[in-house]
Amino acid sequence: MSTVQSGERHVGVVGLAVMGENLALNIERNGFAPAVYNRTAARTEEFLAKRAMGTDILGTFTIEEFVGALERPRRILLMVKAGPPVDAVIAELAPYLEPGDILIDGGNSLFTDTERRSHEVADKGFHFIGMGVSGGEEGALWGPSLMPGGPNEAWVELEPMLTAIAAKSASGPCVTHIGPGGSGHYVKMIHNGIEYGDMQLIAETYDVMRRSLGMTAAEIGEVFDRWNEGKLESFLVEITGKVLKYVDPLTEEPLVNVIADQAAQKGTGRWTSQNSYELGTPIPVIDAAVIARSLSSFKSRRLEASKVIKGPGSEGMPFPPTPDKQQLIDALENALYVAKITSYAQGMALLATASETYNWDLDLSEIARIWTGGCIIRAELLNPIMQAFKTNPQLANLMLAPYFVEQVNSGSPQLREVIHTAIGFGIPSSAMNAAISYIDTYRQPLLPANLIQGLRDYFGAHTYERTDREGIFHTEWMQVGV
Ligand code: NBP
């Protein structure tokens, strides 16, 4: 039953798929009366007849009716598919809006699209907020992590409602004003890139236990459950335990054993890698995760190759002896933790570069804080990350904060041990390898780039600098020398 009159609805939600429905219910439960609209009326009708039944949610069936139901300035949350649908909905709404009204895009939009839309919408006198929303279906209903970016005056209008609906962690509500323009969607993109890295590292860890120790899915699930009590405590480690222990009612096998081993990469993961190349700030663990997903999708080619390319376990190439189980499991726990640290270090470094490049003045400590609850990458690890950037907002790399120096130093020998085992058994471990190479590259005073510069000068007269004197040099390599 509606208690708030049409024309006085606090907020409007456009798009009633998974996210829109759950956010509308969350908003209503927290005392803000929403009006909702969906392009296909049947979806609105179903929502009103089922999940929204008995709530103070007002269903509307034309854009005009929807806009007319809202108090001013109008606050309209778009939860439609990212890409052209967002532009289409803005174009439909625009004729009915007035200066000062606020459009919030809560989808996974590309941050450069958000920058463009911010300008287009501002030219019409409206405000545009690009808001990253993380937490999936459950988060949207019970408290997501929210990453809104856009003009401050619009944030001030939205803050009470966004604070009410956001997840609450020990550090407070998981929402903050990220910065101007596309910064909110950018931070969500990095969040998702880190999520890619986390999942790939978890998958490699599972693969090492499965293949080198011959453990069952349920046994591995128990290990993840135990790890979730310690420093690896996180939503993804928690659900890994649950997924691995889930028994398929059809086959009575662990369900994970009958799930096809092909994962797609799209949208935010790929965008994170692309942007890191543009900004020259490498994120090799996240890149490895994106690449691993692409390679996994080549199933038929992998099957063909498995018949002709040999490796450990092939005829004449026996597996190494089975490792000591407890020792390897302990090593895996520390390896996963250290590898995760490098991945977060890479994501945070990219955020720092983006902040400078796009003039966003991002607060990395605050960003880590709003990821401590509600979102997919919520983890105990985010607390020391939050502290590290609070203590030193200019920290050049997360690995250099005292706590993380200690963790990397104590855990990296076990990361090496795990990679050694993986390679010995022929188990792909590209994200783990990317993590240790990142550490080894970052800590290395001397890299082989001297030879690269020599080669470039040889074939292209690209010149080089010397370590023993100032200046730019070129050598006629074919005239002198051996
Ligand atoms: P989807 O991404 O599946 O989008 C479906 C919604 O978009 C429906 O309401 C559909 O209306 C509407 N829509 C489309 Br498609 N084209 C439209 C158009 N031209 N005009 C108007 N409406 C249009 O929904 P979702 O999974 O709820 O996700 C919404 C956004 O949130 C996406 O950007 C997504 O990436 C992001 N996100 C999703 C999750 C998640 O866990 N699912 C998490 C975080 C963020 P119709 O009913 O008429 O077809």
Side-chain angles (χ1 to χ4, degrees), residues 15-19 38-40 43 80-82 85 89 107-108 133 136:
L16 293 173
V18 178
M19 296 301 282
N38 191 72
R39 179 183 59 175
T40 307
R43 213 193 266 264
V80 298
K81 201 175 182 66
V89 173
N108 276 338
V133 178

Side-chain angles (χ1 to χ4, degrees), residues 14-21 37-41 43 78-86 88-89 92 105-109 133-137 188 192:
V14 181
L16 293 173
V18 178
M19 296 301 282
E21 269 199 15
Y37 171 81
N38 191 72
R39 179 183 59 175
T40 307
R43 213 193 266 264
L78 315 183
M79 289 310 301
V80 298
K81 201 175 182 66
V86 177
V89 173
E92 278 185 76
D105 173 15
N108 276 338
S109 294
V133 178
S134 178
E137 195 172 353
K188 173 68 188 334
N192 284 23

Side-chain angles (χ1 to χ4, degrees), residues 74-346:
R74 300 180 180 92
R75 306 168 192 87
I76 300 178
L77 173 60
L78 315 183
M79 289 310 301
V80 298
K81 201 175 182 66
V86 177
D87 293 305
V89 173
I90 293 172
E92 278 185 76
L93 286 165
Y96 302 98
L97 301 181
E98 289 169 319
D101 287 351
I102 304 167
L103 292 172
I104 313 149
D105 173 15
N108 276 338
S109 294
L110 179 60
F111 79 98
T112 47
D113 283 345
T114 304
E115 293 275 343
R116 169 181 58 78
R117 288 173 188 137
S118 300
H119 295 300
E120 289 169 2
V121 164
D123 287 347
K124 296 187 171 85
F126 319 137
H127 296 304
F128 194 72
I129 293 277
M131 182 168 76
V133 178
S134 178
E137 195 172 353
E138 279 287 303
L141 182 59
W142 297 111
S145 175
L146 298 173
M147 297 152 246
N152 196 53
E153 55 260 59
W155 157 248
V156 170
E157 281 289 334
L158 300 172
E159 186 176 0
M161 180 185 77
L162 296 183
T163 303
I165 66 167
K168 312 291 179 300
S169 75
S171 65
C174 294
V175 58
T176 193
H177 182 216
I178 298 287
S183 61
H185 277 141
Y186 186 91
V187 168
K188 173 68 188 334
M189 177 185 84
I190 299 295
H191 165 284
N192 284 23
I194 291 173
E195 179 185 308
Y196 265 60
D198 272 357
M199 286 196 282
Q200 180 62 26
L201 290 168
I202 286 173
E204 290 176 10
T205 304
Y206 149 74
D207 213 16
V208 169
M209 281 188 264
R210 165 172 78 160
R211 298 224 244 154
S212 75
L213 296 173
M215 292 169 69
T216 65
E219 270 183 290
I220 302 170
E222 294 292 339
V223 172
F224 275 94
D225 284 353
R226 272 202 309 281
W227 287 351
N228 197 41
E229 307 285 308
K231 62 187 174 188
L232 281 172
E233 195 245 295
S234 58
F235 173 69
L236 283 170
V237 166
E238 179 192 337
I239 65 168
T240 301
K242 291 184 175 157
V243 168
L244 287 169
K245 289 190 296 178
Y246 190 91
V247 176
D248 173 30
L250 285 178
T251 58
E252 297 190 359
E253 283 284 306
L255 180 59
V256 72
N257 289 0
V258 290
I259 295 181
D261 61 339
Q262 297 169 76
Q265 61 77 28
K266 58 181 172 77
T268 45
R270 184 178 63 223
W271 296 340
T272 309
S273 288
Q274 287 171 330
N275 179 260
S276 85
Y277 282 108
E278 262 164 49
L279 299 193
T281 299
I283 48 164
V285 174
I286 296 166
D287 294 340
V290 175
I291 292 166
R293 287 204 198 181
S294 294
L295 285 171
S296 78
S297 66
F298 301 158
K299 179 77 175 184
S300 58
R301 292 184 230 174
R302 289 192 283 122
L303 285 173
E304 277 304 303
S306 71
K307 293 177 196 149
V308 290
I309 299 180
K310 305 213 177 301
S314 304
E315 201 187 332
M317 295 180 76
F319 286 119
T322 304
D324 179 88
K325 187 172 176 181
Q326 198 49 54
Q327 188 184 324
L328 183 57
I329 290 174
D330 291 345
L332 279 163
E333 183 177 12
N334 288 319
L336 181 54
Y337 192 63
V338 171
K340 263 177 72 107
I341 290 170
T342 71
S343 180
Y344 283 67
Q346 293 158 27

